[in-house]
Amino acid sequence: MVGALGLLVVVGAVVVGLVQAAPSPSPSPHELDPGIASLMRKPEYGHAQWGLFQQDPGSGEVTQSRNADQFFLPGSSAKLFSVSGTWHTLGSDHRFVTPVHAVGQRRGTALDGDLDLVAQGDLTLGGRTRKNGTVAFTNLDHTYANDFPGAALTPQDPLAGINQLARQVRDSGIRRVDGDVVVDARLFHRDPTLRPTPTPLIINDNVIDLLTSPGVDAGDPAHLEWRPKVAPYRVTSTVRTVAAGKPTDISVNASPDGTRIRLSGTIAAGSAPALRVAAIKDPNAFGRTALIEALQRAGVEVRAGAVGPNPADRLPDSYRGAPTVAHYTSPAYAQYAELILKVSHNLGANLGICLMATHAGSAQCEDGFPVLAEFLDGAKVDRKAVQLADGRGGNPVDRSTPRALTQLLTYWQHSPEADRFRRSLPILGVDGTLAGSCRNCPSRGKVFAKTGTVAGGDALNDRLAVGAETTAGYLETRKGHFDVFFAGVNGASTPGVNVKGILGIANDVADVAARLQQSAAR
């Protein structure tokens, strides 16, 4: 049983290699592919509602339409709205510049005062940035490690941006800080209605990575690696190796403040390393300590203790007259949009709501929704056909009609950044949450779509209820020509409690998309 059926998953579908959509006999125009019709009659969908919509955004011709104007739970397909609004508001080439100010008097190489890091809502702060300036991702992101097996880490140092800031402080001539180090997180207020809750300072997605590898033989203690290592966080493990083929079952428990983390359970001999994560409960205190430790590694002495609460009461009213002694510049926002859409990054999608608010001059994240509304109106999306209370598609009120999602996709298809936006989406059989599907079928590389899943435990029937499995994006019907589409189902269920049942439904939806593409390409 999965977490005593306490599982609640709101993600982009993580589809693993089941779809091999074989060509079907060519249907007449507007006729539903018989393979799709057969799939919809499977027992998993006995009480479910399917939605389909496919349209040529140039001519306006509708090829498929089924419940196109009915509300559906979108799951993470809702990220198309929040990411589009943020992209339009900030601009695809917007870069976040995070400064460190010297507040006080310089006396030679000593600063009689504080170093203030002013958080700017940078999603990764260098923790995923490759040498060429692009943002790295894995097809199953580490933020999903506690929900799905197979999550993986990118190789970049999560503290890369913090280390760069520390070196710049040293290069500015400061060798000793007689005051304190303070994180200025006044950019926006934390809004607990957005879950995960965005913060102005984000390091490693506000999680600690915990990677367990099996010992050689059954009974051996497992090997543990974790990152980023910042005081006072401590991690211990009692995970033991069990015989090959036996279940890997690892639990993570943390102290109330999150700084003491303990892993327990089993890992099968010969298996791949198993990744889990634990939340960073106080990102500001964590970031302050991380910067102090980085300064010390860079050769800058800080008199204040490294461990402790962030002393926000020391922050000045303004930084006029306080020189910038370091700054970190992020990759372009379009790179972050690609990360959010490819891996279905929940924190990044919610962060966009707060960033739209700050762009409008507000520190209240909820003030991002009027900015999003104005964008959708300008994009000619029927706003009454969309309901949103977050950026990720995880709030119970979130709804969209298939037609509304395709209206947004049509907007992008007519924009100068059409190709850039389309390639930011998962690509069937290639990358992101669609990487594992259709690797050898004719539609591989020809479906560009955001996926979404809403699932939870059905305790009454000892199974998983899949409230939503959706996908929305583009079908390449001939070279350089793209239809917009939505395919999704609400109200499905799995035969039992194994999460692989969710992946099977996700594969069915990907199969529908593949068959739509193949039918249109004939």
Side-chain angles (χ1 to χ4, degrees):
M1 184 172 292
V2 180
L5 282 180
L7 173 73
L8 175 61
V9 183
V10 185
V11 300
V14 183
V15 186
V16 183
L18 301 177
V19 174
Q20 297 295 328
S24 305
S26 248
S28 302
H30 308 293
E31 180 183 332
L32 189 63
D33 181 290
I36 296 176
S38 175
L39 184 152
M40 290 178 174
R41 290 193 293 268
K42 291 172 65 172
E44 293 92 322
Y45 312 118
H47 301 287
Q49 173 175 270
W50 280 88
L52 289 178
F53 192 76
Q54 180 181 351
Q55 185 177 35
D56 183 327
S59 68
E61 179 188 2
V62 174
T63 309
Q64 297 291 342
S65 182
R66 182 187 182 103
N67 295 320
D69 296 303
Q70 301 301 305
F71 269 138
F72 280 77
L73 291 170
S76 287
S77 294
K79 291 182 174 72
L80 289 167
F81 294 116
S82 59
V83 171
S84 295
T86 310
W87 184 318
H88 177 267
T89 300
L90 301 181
S92 60
D93 293 323
H94 174 81
R95 296 175 189 268
F96 300 88
V97 180
T98 302
V100 175
H101 292 280
V103 181
Q105 298 296 317
R106 289 279 294 269
R107 304 185 189 281
T109 60
L111 172 64
D112 184 10
D114 298 340
L115 287 176
D116 290 1
L117 184 159
V118 185
Q120 298 295 310
D122 186 333
L123 179 57
T124 71
L125 202 62
R128 294 180 186 251
T129 305
R130 301 185 182 100
K131 290 183 179 179
N132 64 1
T134 60
V135 172
F137 62 88
T138 60
N139 291 325
L140 182 50
D141 193 63
H142 74 143
T143 54
Y144 286 115
N146 293 352
D147 297 316
F148 289 101
L153 298 171
T154 59
Q156 287 75 25
D157 182 357
L159 298 176
I162 293 292
N163 289 332
Q164 188 179 127
L165 289 170
R167 290 191 295 268
Q168 289 182 28
V169 170
R170 177 201 61 201
D171 293 344
S172 77
I174 295 175
R175 295 292 187 273
R176 190 178 78 235
V177 178
D178 291 330
D180 212 325
V181 171
V182 191
V183 171
D184 185 340
R186 295 178 290 188
L187 181 68
F188 58 80
H189 303 308
R190 294 182 70 157
D191 185 345
T193 64
L194 300 175
R195 298 181 182 178
T197 303
T199 51
L201 179 67
I202 298 170
I203 298 174
N204 201 44
D205 300 311
N206 290 343
V207 298
I208 302 292
D209 295 317
L210 311 159
L211 189 66
T212 300
S213 301
V216 176
D217 299 311
D220 288 348
H223 177 67
L224 173 68
E225 298 176 21
W226 63 281
R227 69 175 202 183
K229 289 184 169 68
V230 173
Y233 282 74
R234 297 289 182 270
V235 182
T236 58
S237 174
T238 60
V239 177
R240 308 295 292 186
T241 307
V242 294
K246 288 197 171 181
T248 291
D249 185 7
I250 299 173
S251 298
V252 179
N253 291 284
S255 59
D257 66 356
T259 64
R260 296 295 182 266
I261 302 166
R262 182 172 62 86
L263 283 75
S264 60
T266 59
I267 185 169
S271 64
L275 181 64
R276 300 291 186 271
V277 294
I280 294 170
K281 300 291 183 67
D282 188 342
N284 297 333
F286 183 89
R288 172 185 176 271
T289 298
L291 182 53
I292 291 175
E293 292 179 340
L295 287 164
Q296 292 169 343
R297 291 192 297 269
V300 179
E301 177 188 0
V302 179
R303 293 291 180 87
V307 175
N310 181 53
D313 57 349
R314 296 175 65 98
L315 292 171
D317 293 334
S318 79
Y319 291 102
R320 184 175 303 166
T324 300
V325 293
H327 68 274
Y328 178 80
T329 302
S330 77
Y333 178 75
Q335 282 290 310
Y336 285 172
E338 181 173 341
L339 167 66
I340 296 165
L341 294 170
K342 293 285 192 187
V343 310
S344 206
H345 197 284
N346 290 324
L347 181 62
N350 278 345
L351 177 64
I353 302 297
C354 302
L355 294 175
M356 284 185 278
T358 63
H359 191 269
S362 173
Q364 304 294 335
C365 290
E366 65 183 17
D367 289 334
F369 286 104
V371 180
L372 178 56
E374 184 177 358
F375 160 70
L376 293 176
D377 289 343
K380 295 183 171 54
V381 175
D382 179 4
R383 184 153 47 91
K384 300 302 183 183
V386 182
Q387 296 177 175
L388 287 178
D390 66 2
R392 61 174 284 210
N395 191 286
V397 309
D398 292 348
R399 300 286 190 280
S400 176
T401 68
R403 193 186 303 272
L405 279 161
T406 58
Q407 287 170 343
L408 177 66
L409 294 161
T410 297
Y411 160 81
W412 280 109
Q413 190 59 18
H414 292 317
S415 80
E417 294 188 295
D419 184 70
R420 193 174 191 179
F421 179 80
R422 185 176 59 253
R423 293 189 175 279
S424 296
L425 301 173
I427 304 173
L428 188 67
V430 176
D431 64 16
T433 55
L434 288 173
S437 285
C438 207
R439 286 188 177 275
N440 298 305
C441 81
S443 297
R444 183 180 186 272
K446 298 177 182 178
V447 178
F448 306 75
K450 182 71 197 78
T451 57
T453 305
V454 178
D458 174 7
L460 180 65
N461 296 293
D462 199 29
R463 63 185 180 180
L464 298 177
V466 184
E469 192 62 58
T470 63
T471 184
Y474 302 95
L475 308 171
E476 187 170 19
T477 58
R478 59 182 184 273
K479 188 172 179 59
H481 186 274
F482 301 89
D483 280 3
V484 295
F485 86 100
F486 170 93
V489 61
N490 276 189
S493 58
T494 64
V497 298
N498 193 310
V499 295
K500 289 183 179 179
I502 301 174
L503 302 181
I505 293 172
N507 272 279
D508 283 347
V509 173
D511 194 345
V512 171
R515 291 178 182 276
L516 289 175
Q517 187 278 327
Q518 290 167 31
S519 295
R522 296 188 188 111

